[in-house]
Amino acid sequence: MLGRNHVMIGLGLYLAADYVLGSGCTQPDLTNCLAAAALGSLAPDLDSPRSYLGRRLWPVSWTFSALIRHRG
């Protein structure tokens, strides 16, 4: 799955949960929460050095890659 797909699914799930649970975030809080959801949705691919986040955090990604095989 591509990074943009991870982000779109993560943001969609966050917005759905926010709507259902009614957290009552104000606009600045919502912006921060959306940014955190987008970043967090990229975390599952951190163990792949070729992923979007893996290329930016390559020392961490190479370490995870050596210890854990990427699924799929």
Side-chain angles (χ1 to χ4, degrees):
M1 186 181 300
L2 298 175
R4 65 177 173 256
N5 296 342
H6 278 276
V7 170
M8 294 303 291
I9 292 169
L11 290 177
L13 289 173
Y14 171 77
L15 290 172
D18 185 51
Y19 178 76
V20 170
L21 300 175
S23 69
C25 288
T26 61
Q27 184 60 33
D29 293 336
L30 181 61
T31 304
N32 292 335
C33 290
L34 289 174
L39 184 62
S41 66
L42 293 172
D45 281 340
L46 189 58
D47 61 342
S48 175
R50 297 183 315 171
S51 69
Y52 179 81
L53 202 57
R55 288 189 308 254
R56 279 133 186 93
L57 300 173
W58 62 269
V60 175
S61 181
W62 280 97
T63 303
F64 281 163
S65 179
L67 298 173
I68 306 167
R69 272 185 52 122
H70 188 70
R71 76 238 173 265

